[in-house]
Amino acid sequence: MDKFLNVLKEYWNYEAFRPLQSDIILSIAGGKDTLGLMPTGGGKSITFQVPTMTMDGTCLVITPLIALMRDQVDNLKTRGIKAAMICTGMSRQEIITTLDNCAFGNVKFLYVSPERLSSELFLKRLSSINICLIAVDEAHCISQWGYDFRPSYLKIAEIRQHLPGVPVLALTATATPEVIRDIQSQLNFDEPNCFSQSFARQNLAYIVRKADDKLSLLIKILTNVPGCAIVYVRDRKKTKEVAEFLINNGFSANFFHAGLPQHVKNERQAAWKSNQCRVIVCTNAFGMGIDKPDVRLVIHLDLPDSPEAYFQEAGRAGRDGKKAYATIIYSKNDGAKLKRRISDSFPDKQRVLDTYNSLGNFYQLAVGSGFEAVFPFDLQEFCKAYKLPLNMSYNALKIMEQAGYITLSDALDNPSRLMITVNKDELYSLRHGNPEWDNIIQVTLRSYTGLFADHVYINEDLIAQRAESTRETVYNVFSQLSKTHIFNYIPAKKTPFITFTSSREDIKHVKLSKDVYETRKERFEKRIEAMQGYAEENSICRSQQLLAYFGQKQETACGVCDVCIAKKKNSLSTEEFDIIVSRIKTIISAKPVSSNELLRTMKTSEDKTKQALRFLLDKNIISIDQNQLIHISKNQTDD
């Protein structure tokens, strides 16, 4: 264990592992296929990064989260560790260069999106790379029982055939017992081997508040609970509306969603992380890879589609171990809205087929052509061209993705990339006769390393700031140098992609199997029902409800959720209980009464009266006869 602790100290400056990390690392070091079930913020990446640093070879990391992939590669590089990534949107030459660097350049970590695994180019070059470990992040995506199944994940088992003897580490934050079994089966584990810790969060209070005027209650909660907050809403438009409402009511707030330019997202994320902005109002695009420990509040104004999604988002509160709150603000209309998502998410089959047919026409693909073709994809332009509804068309394409005909990536933020295509001597010998140009080039060389060997992600705003220039000038300099083949400059672009994973089919031959459509729809409905049930259940501890969903048991109630607090308020002291029981017996002894009449007569709260009544009925001190409460003879019952 000492060698792993030494690596942890040297590269991450930590003195000890968190719970479960050391168990997983020792399992991997022993060559065992391993599943690690760790909550959000539990330090999953350490479990494959540390052991890899003690091995000879490269760790292949498979993850669908492009932004997180980029963050981890950058983070490793800042620690002096060689890391690279391959994802949709890279040119063929960039992919070849990256794979060559892995084969010959001592790259320790190669991050790839699951779609890359079926690429002929990737498979051909994989054999030249010394892979020592396969790490599968978001491993629940491989299970058709999971809430975010992705067909591309099924290719991982095939990759294992190319890498015999290489262990697999599968990692996820949320999985039901059914999904846990399926992950290990789909990844061809030699034997079941799962490490998990309790999902219970002692410092996190789960709260559900019912309100028709959600925004007024939001103001009240933010006023009463100080500290950094995340407010989740369903759609992009609403993020801006709620943020502006908060600003108008005196709160420091901003909004965030996937459609914002990357530099705007970076600025808002940085302001929130540094506590310059208190509240970030966002869609579920916000939070992945953001490890801010002091979030005191996570508030959902709209219900997520599943307990899995809710648990992950709520779990971003209180990672520092201090008291925090995860609150849902729920109205009577939310249940109906949630159920409408079922029909939105699963358009009828004919609409799905027609949408796929329109997609082939959009790219002018003949039937039987297009295998592995990749196209930039503008959903709005596509829907406008064929007069299709936006949301339903998107979900229709996602169903075709599940069926294995296409892959639809979400909009990817591709930052600007730069590579210098001449050698250092040639660059330094050039004289542009423009001091501003020369200054920008020198600042760029000082700001980034590796520019002569490969494409490097750059930030024009940062270069402009350091060069005391403007972003526009930096862009023009790089563009001009690209035209003269001194630089290879690829400006930032936000692009979703469509990949045809099979040749275009005539819709008469397209198969939407039961597993792809009916079974998935049924599972989606069950998750919707579970989420609605959680919001509406007010008698079972919130923490116990969530843990039960994930197959874990919590013997005692948390004591801090809204359900537990309500029970405490309604609990009776012995003295108060005796007084209420005595009064009930006195009233009923005088004459039989109905329960409603008794509740009107008593001066205590209805809940407390009912508690005492239940006790008296259980003990046969009173009974019910023809809807009347009657007192049973004292010598028969009172003891």
Side-chain angles (χ1 to χ4, degrees), residues 579-591 598 631:
I579 291 170
I580 294 172
V581 165
S582 177
R583 176 147 178 77
I584 290 173
K585 288 162 64 175
T586 299
I587 293 170
I588 295 175
S589 295
K591 65 170 186 174
L598 177 69
H631 186 262

Side-chain angles (χ1 to χ4, degrees), residues 4-56:
F4 301 121
L5 286 168
N6 290 339
V7 167
L8 186 71
K9 173 67 176 174
E10 179 181 353
Y11 291 98
W12 284 271
N13 202 28
Y14 295 139
E15 297 290 343
F17 291 109
R18 292 183 187 177
L20 220 66
Q21 285 179 334
S22 55
D23 295 326
I24 293 172
I25 288 169
L26 288 173
S27 178
I28 286 298
K32 297 178 181 177
D33 294 335
T34 307
L35 171 59
L37 201 62
M38 301 176 72
T40 303
K44 294 194 292 292
S45 59
I46 288 288
T47 61
F48 63 83
Q49 289 172 349
V50 166
T52 297
M53 295 305 294
T54 69
M55 297 176 180
D56 177 28

Side-chain angles (χ1 to χ4, degrees), residues 60 62-63 112-120 122-123 126 134-136 139 141-144 149-163 168 183 185-188 371-372 401-407 499-502:
L60 178 65
I62 300 162
T63 175
V112 301
S113 54
E115 293 78 18
R116 291 290 99 197
L117 301 180
S118 56
S119 159
E120 184 180 343
F122 179 80
L123 291 172
L126 185 64
I134 302 170
V136 183
C141 293
I142 202 170
S143 172
Q144 295 198 47
F149 170 63
R150 305 192 183 204
S152 55
Y153 261 69
L154 297 174
K155 298 292 182 183
I156 301 172
E158 295 177 23
I159 286 290
R160 297 204 69 182
Q161 296 173 16
H162 294 266
L163 302 168
V168 166
I183 290 171
S185 172
Q186 295 288 359
L187 287 173
N188 295 333
F371 176 59
E372 290 193 344
E401 180 178 40
Q402 295 289 332
Y405 291 94
I406 60 170
T407 296
T499 303
F500 281 79
T501 48
S502 69

